Amino acid sequence: MRTAAASLHHAQPGDPARAARAVVETAAAPEPPLRLPLGADTPQAFDAELDAFRKDMDAARHIALSTDHE
């Protein structure tokens, strides 16, 4: 793990100064988002998670709807 971390050190694609600025600006926003995707690869990862969540919800929707009082 240390070897891998050392090889990645200072090789990340993101700009730390821009990330810090984005965090500060977002924190100061009147209604900041619950999650703050930083980096070009993050929206794609978020989209994959949302797609998986939607697939699970669609598969279980009938179960959720069947549990209400009649």
Side-chain angles (χ1 to χ4, degrees):
M1 186 58 131
R2 289 176 190 241
T3 303
S7 70
L8 295 173
H9 191 56
H10 295 292
Q12 297 89 342
D15 181 335
R18 285 182 174 186
R21 190 167 37 254
V23 169
V24 170
E25 289 173 2
T26 301
E31 293 187 36
L34 180 60
R35 291 170 183 80
L36 180 60
L38 297 174
D41 58 336
T42 308
Q44 183 179 358
F46 272 38
D47 287 341
E49 286 293 318
L50 288 170
D51 290 345
F53 181 77
R54 173 61 62 196
K55 184 177 177 183
D56 280 351
M57 286 303 301
D58 288 345
R61 183 173 308 282
H62 70 284
I63 297 168
L65 296 175
S66 72
T67 60
D68 283 351
H69 287 286
E70 290 188 21

